Amino acid sequence: MAAAASSTSLKASPSPTIASWMRQRSLSTTFGVTAISFRRVEPRGRHFVVLSMDAKPTILVAEKLGEAGVKLLKDFANVDCSYNLSPEELCTKISLCDALIVRSGTKVSREVFESSGGRLKVVGRAGVGIDNVDLAAATEHGCLVVNAPTANTVAAAEHGIALLTAMARNIAQADASVKAGKWERSKYVGVSLVGKTLAVMGFGKVGTEVARRAKGLGMHVIAHDPYAPADRARAIGVELVSFDEAISSADFISLHMPLTPSTSKILNDENFAKMKKGVRIINVARGGVIDEEALVKALESGIVAQAALDVFTVEPPPKDSKLVQHVNVTATPHLGASTMEAQEGVAIEIAEAVVGALKGELAATAVNAPMVPSEVLTELKPFVSLAEKLGRLAVQLVAGGSGVKSVKVTYASARAPDDLDTRLLRAMITKGLIEPISSVFVNLVNADFTAKQRGLRITEERIVLDGSPESPLEFIQVQIANVESKFASAISDSGEIKVEGRVKDGIPHLTKVGSFEVDVSLEGSIILCRQVDQPGMIGKVGSILGEENVNVSFMSVGRIAPRKQAVMAIGVDEEPSKQSLKRIGEISSVEEFVYLNL
Ligand SMILES: NC(=O)C1=CN([C@@H]2O[C@H](COP(=O)(O)OP(=O)(O)OC[C@H]3O[C@@H](n4cnc5c(N)ncnc54)[C@H](O)[C@@H]3O)[C@@H](O)[C@H]2O)C=CC1
Ligand SMILES: O=C(O)C(=O)COP(=O)(O)O
């Protein structure tokens, strides 16, 4: 994102002054241009992401989900709970589904998105790790992925501690031995935890909870996490150290990082060789973060005394897995999140996220889209709508064959540059720019990807205004460079197509076209006419539209000086016929005009 902040101050923006019934007329002078406007006040609710739909959506729940979550889903949608689907069955079913909910046992591959034929709008991962979802494919298909990141944290941490203590005292092996009729007290002598060093690898939600609990057991806890803040670690008495220091000084190593290309097989031959002889490993993260063959070798050589594993590279692991069968390995079948409490919590968390996303709300737990706090969303809501409409208007002003490659968006705000999150606005401008000229469905998820794929370069610039930052934005400007316009007046003095808009009383308005100030609410559609300013023009156009019952919602004239060239913006509720548009074009003083669909 190219963001340059410059400083400028603006005069007060024009505001409507005379209100009557459903129309308002305003006269104002800014930058020497007069704007006269008539507006019908008709606020409308808008969705941020176009995920909403008219018919009742269908949600496929492909793995067991807590009852409370299923109920929430059923209150809103048709719910198909089909477990243990083969990849082929999933691909077949998915074309009939708007949302899919999975846990860790279902691979949501590129084929799944391709098979959905564009219908799949949300994938909900009822848990944390999203390594089983092809995020790149989801994003390319404009499919939102949400997870349930908090409800199973404690369960996973408790399971980690359970594995740690069970391993140290040989609980599983001793239990099997007693059940086999043996009484092997000297065979199952364990090791103490107090005073031992535990290295927590990945100091996120689960890692932090494990560290807290391990300290309660009297362990010395260190952690490695390249992205964790040191003060959060210090606050619970944990020292953040380098990867090498963590693995080489630990008696116990507990893994809590996500499986990503950079963490894949992070415990490998080379790193096992750096560990203290007799180290013990706990893994409740993902099997793939350990090179399992290397772990078997390390167990056999005694570098690793014991391992306690909840997760495996392939789940379930093969029956003859050397790792699982190893005498010094304690294994559980991916039970980290499996407590009654966590499963109910996760089910509710994911159901709310999926239903919210299907309703068109922005999910707070989106994995492949910006997460914007709800208070910020509320503030930005009208600007989100303004952004999309400015994009739509700007691109429709481009003459055919020009090819849109370079768009500059300017945000004018009295807020500090880091106090305005423009990702949402940029995405909606992109949506507005691309959708009218293609069959691509653009949303917050795939906006940047789609722009890049089409070679559309969007740069952003901030204008920092003086004054009190009550509103997040004063105006948004969209400029398209190096194109011809089908409405020459939309070309600014600097040669780009330029449209500018503001939010007034919660409603997006178009306030500038090229160098002309106008003021027309961005609802319905718009006709822009350039004419020689003279009395009776509004009436002439209004009566042509009135003859075919096209309702005018708003009119505004921006002119350079009285009786010189002016741009008239007319908001209409219905699309005028070609004949009416032709008649408007034939009015003698009309020099050019364009009809724009919002
Ligand atoms: N066994 C189970 O049933 C469960 C397993 N999990 C696994 O645990 C993982 C962690 O979960 P949360 O703590 O909730 O996620 P989180 O996102 O809160 O924490 C992950 C931490 O790992 C850190 N990290 C990333 N790359 C790293 C690297 N190369 N080295 C060290 N740290 C790195 C991140 O900075 C982050 O602080 C999940 O990704 C999931 O795979 C989570 C819940 C249940
Ligand atoms: O939340 C996670 O990352 C987990 O690993 C839990 O997986 P599960 O939902 O129990 O299949």
Side-chain angles (χ1 to χ4, degrees):
M1 172 171 108
S6 56
S7 192
T8 201
S9 52
L10 272 193
K11 293 180 191 172
S13 58
S15 60
T17 51
I18 306 167
S20 68
W21 182 52
M22 278 157 56
R23 285 174 196 279
Q24 283 186 334
R25 181 176 196 273
S26 85
L27 279 169
S28 60
T29 309
T30 315
F31 305 127
V33 179
T34 306
I36 307 166
S37 39
F38 299 85
R39 183 189 73 183
R40 195 172 74 198
V41 184
E42 206 176 64
R44 271 195 275 160
R46 300 284 313 170
H47 292 297
F48 296 117
V49 198
V50 185
L51 292 175
S52 55
M53 57 206 67
D54 298 330
K56 207 173 181 187
T58 297
I59 302 175
L60 173 61
V61 179
E63 286 179 75
K64 183 98 184 78
L65 194 66
E67 274 310 310
V70 175
K71 181 173 180 320
L72 276 176
L73 297 175
K74 284 187 173 162
D75 288 346
F76 173 72
N78 302 313
V79 179
D80 174 357
C81 292
S82 294
Y83 309 143
N84 304 317
L85 294 173
S86 68
E88 295 72 30
E89 286 166 335
L90 177 60
C91 285
T92 307
K93 254 186 190 287
I94 207 69
S95 61
L96 304 171
C97 300
D98 303 286
L100 167 67
I101 295 183
V102 297
R103 289 178 57 184
S104 61
T106 306
K107 289 260 167 295
V108 190
S109 61
R110 179 170 287 276
E111 288 71 47
V112 174
F113 295 102
E114 281 166 0
S115 308
S116 94
R119 179 157 171 186
L120 185 64
K121 293 170 190 71
V122 196
V123 171
R125 160 51 171 126
V128 185
I130 31 83
D131 45 285
N132 53 324
V133 180
D134 187 332
L135 275 189
T139 304
E140 286 167 32
H141 286 80
C143 180
L144 185 70
V145 179
V146 287
N147 70 350
T150 58
N152 68 19
T153 301
V154 166
E158 286 177 350
H159 198 65
I161 294 292
L163 285 177
L164 169 79
T165 50
M167 171 173 65
R169 301 306 292 271
N170 302 305
I171 301 289
Q173 294 85 344
D175 174 68
S177 156
V178 174
K179 286 187 171 130
K182 299 178 194 165
W183 195 251
E184 300 174 295
R185 296 184 62 207
S186 55
K187 185 171 177 188
Y188 294 119
V189 173
V191 289
S192 186
L193 300 177
V194 70
K196 297 281 166 56
T197 297
L198 168 71
V200 171
M201 309 300 285
F203 196 66
K205 294 185 292 297
V206 178
T208 304
E209 292 307 318
V210 164
R212 246 190 252 283
R213 283 157 178 77
K215 285 199 70 78
L217 296 171
M219 299 188 83
H220 169 58
V221 183
I222 55 174
H224 169 71
D225 187 326
Y227 315 107
D231 53 349
R232 185 158 56 78
R234 256 196 312 272
I236 59 164
V238 170
E239 192 193 348
L240 280 181
V241 298
S242 69
F243 180 84
D244 278 359
E245 189 180 342
I247 61 164
S248 60
S249 55
D251 302 299
F252 292 80
I253 296 174
S254 192
L255 299 168
H256 300 290
M257 68 264 275
L259 176 61
T260 64
S262 63
T263 62
S264 174
K265 298 193 177 175
I266 199 162
L267 295 196
N268 49 26
D269 283 329
E270 189 189 337
N271 288 327
F272 281 123
K274 293 177 190 162
M275 293 176 193
K276 266 191 189 174
K277 193 163 167 61
V279 67
R280 289 176 166 80
I281 311 279
I282 303 107
N283 189 7
V284 283
R286 283 293 177 269
V289 300
I290 299 182
D291 177 340
E292 291 178 340
E293 276 182 35
L295 177 54
V296 171
K297 280 190 261 165
L299 281 159
E300 277 164 8
S301 71
I303 289 181
V304 173
Q306 287 180 300
L309 310 171
D310 184 45
V311 283
F312 302 87
T313 306
V314 176
E315 292 183 0
K319 284 207 175 73
D320 60 351
S321 158
K322 274 194 181 164
L323 184 59
V324 174
Q325 298 303 332
H326 199 285
V327 64
N328 292 333
V329 169
T330 303
T332 51
H334 202 146
L335 290 180
S338 295
T339 62
M340 311 286 277
E341 296 82 354
Q343 280 314 304
E344 280 306 289
V346 161
I348 293 169
E349 198 177 4
I350 203 63
E352 285 175 347
V354 167
V355 167
L358 287 172
K359 283 181 178 167
E361 293 159 11
L362 260 192
T365 60
V367 174
N368 61 345
M371 286 188 267
V372 187
S374 60
E375 61 280 9
V376 176
L377 276 183
T378 309
E379 245 196 342
L380 280 183
K381 195 171 178 176
F383 296 96
V384 165
S385 171
L386 172 67
E388 181 183 350
K389 288 178 171 185
L390 288 176
R392 273 183 184 273
L393 284 189
V395 80
Q396 289 179 74
L397 287 166
V398 176
S402 286
V404 178
K405 290 277 169 255
S406 173
V407 174
K408 184 166 114 186
V409 181
T410 307
Y411 308 98
S413 168
R415 296 264 170 99
D418 59 1
D419 195 15
L420 178 69
D421 189 340
T422 60
R423 293 169 303 171
L424 188 52
L425 302 170
R426 182 178 70 232
M428 296 314 270
I429 290 168
T430 308
K431 176 177 173 61
L433 286 165
I434 294 177
E435 280 191 351
I437 53 167
S438 76
S439 56
V440 180
F441 162 79
V442 183
N443 64 9
L444 193 53
V445 176
N446 65 357
D448 285 347
F449 169 82
T450 311
K452 200 168 160 206
Q453 209 187 29
R454 298 178 68 91
L456 175 61
R457 187 167 168 267
I458 300 180
T459 53
E460 294 177 293
E461 191 174 284
R462 286 288 308 271
I463 295 178
V464 183
L465 303 173
D466 296 337
S468 103
E470 238 171 56
S471 164
L473 274 161
E474 197 62 37
F475 64 82
I476 303 177
Q477 216 175 63
V478 176
Q479 294 181 71
I480 306 183
N482 306 321
V483 286
E484 305 274 307
S485 178
K486 56 172 92 149
F487 186 69
S489 316
I491 302 278
S492 68
D493 298 339
S494 48
E496 297 94 13
I497 288 183
K498 177 156 111 186
V499 289
E500 185 180 297
R502 292 164 189 259
V503 169
K504 297 183 177 185
D505 300 330
I507 295 170
H509 279 231
L510 175 67
T511 51
K512 203 168 200 179
V513 176
S515 305
F516 291 88
E517 296 254 332
V518 293
D519 190 353
V520 58
S521 86
L522 287 167
E523 296 170 295
S525 294
I526 286 183
I527 299 169
L528 293 175
C529 290
R530 187 185 64 208
Q531 77 226 16
V532 178
D533 181 40
Q534 57 187 261
M537 280 303 295
I538 291 176
K540 278 185 197 164
V541 176
S543 63
I544 293 174
L545 295 170
E547 276 172 38
E548 65 165 4
N549 207 21
V550 172
N551 204 26
V552 173
S553 58
F554 209 111
M555 268 190 177
S556 148
V557 180
R559 58 191 188 174
I560 291 158
R563 311 246 168 189
K564 293 270 164 55
Q565 277 189 330
V567 165
M568 178 161 62
I570 306 156
V572 288
D573 288 338
E574 294 85 22
E575 183 168 351
S577 66
K578 287 210 171 82
Q579 183 59 24
S580 294
L581 290 174
K582 186 160 172 274
R583 282 177 63 202
I584 292 171
E586 283 165 3
I587 299 173
S588 58
S589 49
V590 169
E591 294 171 344
E592 59 168 345
F593 82 100
V594 65
Y595 172 74
L596 306 165
N597 243 314
L598 285 176

